Amino acid sequence: MGNPGKPNKPKRSPTTPSKDSPVRKLRKTDSDSDMELSLTPNQNGGAMIQGKDGGDHSNLGERSMQPPQWFVMFEERQEIRFENILKTCKDMYEGLQLEVDNLKDDMKKLEDKMKDYELKIDELENRSRRNNLVIFNLAEGKEGPDVVKFMHHLLSSECSVKPTSIQRAHRSGKLNQNSAKPRPIHIGFASYPEKEQCRKALLQLFKSKKVYDSKLYVSNDFSQRVQKMRKEKLGELFRLREQGKEAFLVYPATIKIRSGGRVIDA
C-alpha cells in the first residue's frame, strides 16, 4: 500500500532499461554517443568487441587506457627535472674528481721533494761522519776505561802509526748484558788524511791476524740508510772474495773489483 500523501510511481518493467540501469555502457573516445558492446567470436578462434553499429571496437580498452594530457606533461617535466639533477651531479662529480687528481699530483710532488730533502740530509750526515772510523767485534772491556788511549796504543804498537788527531773514541749504543754481540767503537779524527792512514793500517792488521783474541773489522762511519744499503751487498761481496777476487765497496753501496791495476764494476 502506497503513501497516501504521495502518488505512487509507476513500476517499470525489469526488461526496460532506465537511466539508472546497471547495464554497462562504454563511451567511444571518438564519439559523444553511448554504445552497448557485445563480445562476438571471430574467424581466428578469438573474440572481438562489437557495437550495435556492427563495428569492431576491440581496441577500445587500449584507447580508454591512454593517460590524460596533463599526466603526460607532468611526466615530461619530471623527466627534464631528473635529467637536470643528473647533469648537475655529474658535473659536481667531475669537478671533485679533478680536484682529487690535482691533490694527488700535489702529493706526488711533495713526496718527491721529501725524498730529495731526505737524500740531501743523508748526504750531509755522511759528510759529517767522513772523519770517523768504526771498529766491530772487539769484546766489551778490552779497551779499558780510556778508549782514546787504547786506540793510540793499538795503532802505535800493532800498525806502527802514531796518530795525532784523534778527538774522541767511545762505544756506541746502550750496553746489553744479555747480548753476546759487543758494541762498536767509534773513533773521531780531526784530519781526514790521518783517518784514512789509520783505516788502511787497521784493515791490513785485521786481515792478517786476530787481535785481542777476536776477528776484528774496521769501516768508515755511515748513516743508517747507507749502512742498510751496504749490508744488503755483503753476501755478494763475500762470495766474490771467496772466489779470490779483490772486491770492495765504494760509497754509497757499489761493489768494485780491483784487477790488473784497474778498478771495474762487479
Side-chain angles (χ1 to χ4, degrees):
M1 184 174 179
N3 190 339
K6 295 183 179 180
N8 293 330
K9 295 182 179 179
K11 294 183 178 180
R12 294 181 179 271
S13 173
T15 60
T16 305
S18 66
K19 293 182 179 180
D20 300 328
S21 174
V23 176
R24 187 177 182 86
K25 295 181 179 181
L26 296 176
R27 180 178 296 277
K28 291 176 63 178
T29 57
D30 54 355
S31 174
D32 294 332
S33 62
D34 292 336
M35 181 178 294
E36 293 182 7
L37 305 176
S38 62
L39 194 64
T40 305
N42 56 21
Q43 297 178 353
N44 298 328
M48 70 176 180
I49 300 175
Q50 190 174 29
K52 287 184 177 181
D53 57 357
D56 185 2
H57 300 275
S58 299
N59 62 345
L60 179 62
E62 297 178 2
R63 288 182 286 143
S64 63
M65 291 300 291
Q66 291 179 355
Q69 186 65 25
W70 67 267
F71 185 77
V72 174
M73 295 175 64
F74 173 78
E75 279 194 329
E76 290 177 351
R77 286 196 297 266
Q78 289 297 98
E79 185 175 354
I80 293 173
R81 183 184 177 190
F82 176 76
E83 289 177 354
N84 290 336
I85 293 174
L86 186 63
K87 183 178 182 303
T88 301
C89 292
K90 184 178 179 180
D91 293 341
M92 291 176 63
Y93 172 79
E94 291 176 352
L96 291 173
Q97 188 65 41
L98 181 61
E99 291 184 9
V100 170
D101 292 340
N102 291 335
L103 287 174
K104 287 182 178 180
D105 291 340
D106 292 341
M107 286 295 296
K108 181 65 171 56
K109 292 177 182 178
L110 288 175
E111 288 176 357
D112 292 340
K113 284 186 178 180
M114 286 295 296
K115 290 179 181 179
D116 186 52
Y117 290 150
E118 288 176 358
L119 290 175
K120 289 181 178 179
I121 292 173
D122 189 75
E123 179 68 20
L124 291 173
E125 181 180 354
N126 285 297
R127 286 182 179 275
S128 69
R129 295 169 178 254
R130 68 193 304 268
N131 287 359
N132 298 347
L133 286 180
V134 186
I135 295 177
F136 299 93
N137 210 38
L138 180 66
E140 295 280 348
K142 292 289 185 178
E143 72 280 10
D146 191 339
V147 186
V148 173
K149 184 177 180 180
F150 168 80
M151 289 306 306
H152 277 284
H153 173 72
L154 176 64
L155 288 166
S156 60
S157 62
E158 297 289 345
C159 303
S160 301
V161 176
K162 295 183 179 181
T164 59
S165 65
I166 295 179
Q167 294 180 318
R168 61 191 180 280
H170 57 83
R171 294 273 185 179
S172 295
K174 186 177 180 180
L175 177 62
N176 185 358
Q177 300 290 350
N178 298 323
S179 176
K181 185 178 180 180
R183 295 170 296 166
I185 293 178
H186 281 73
I187 307 103
F189 293 79
S191 169
Y192 177 79
E194 185 171 280
K195 187 238 24 177
E196 279 296 291
Q197 180 187 11
C198 294
R199 183 185 67 83
K200 292 176 181 179
L202 290 172
L203 188 62
Q204 293 297 323
L205 173 65
F206 297 158
K207 281 183 177 180
S208 62
K209 64 176 184 178
K210 291 184 176 181
V211 179
Y212 296 102
D213 301 323
S214 300
K215 179 64 176 177
L216 304 184
Y217 304 93
V218 62
S219 169
N220 286 310
D221 191 15
F222 299 109
S223 66
Q224 291 291 333
R225 185 186 71 89
V226 174
Q227 288 183 43
K228 182 179 178 180
M229 292 170 60
R230 295 171 76 90
K231 187 176 182 180
E232 293 173 352
K233 298 286 187 176
L234 289 180
E236 183 181 357
L237 181 69
F238 293 150
R239 179 178 58 80
L240 292 172
R241 288 178 177 176
E242 289 175 356
Q243 296 174 1
K245 298 178 180 179
E246 190 178 352
F248 57 96
L249 283 171
V250 297
Y251 180 84
T254 304
I255 298 178
K256 298 284 186 178
I257 298 175
R258 186 177 286 108
S259 176
R262 296 186 306 124
V263 176
I264 59 177
D265 294 331

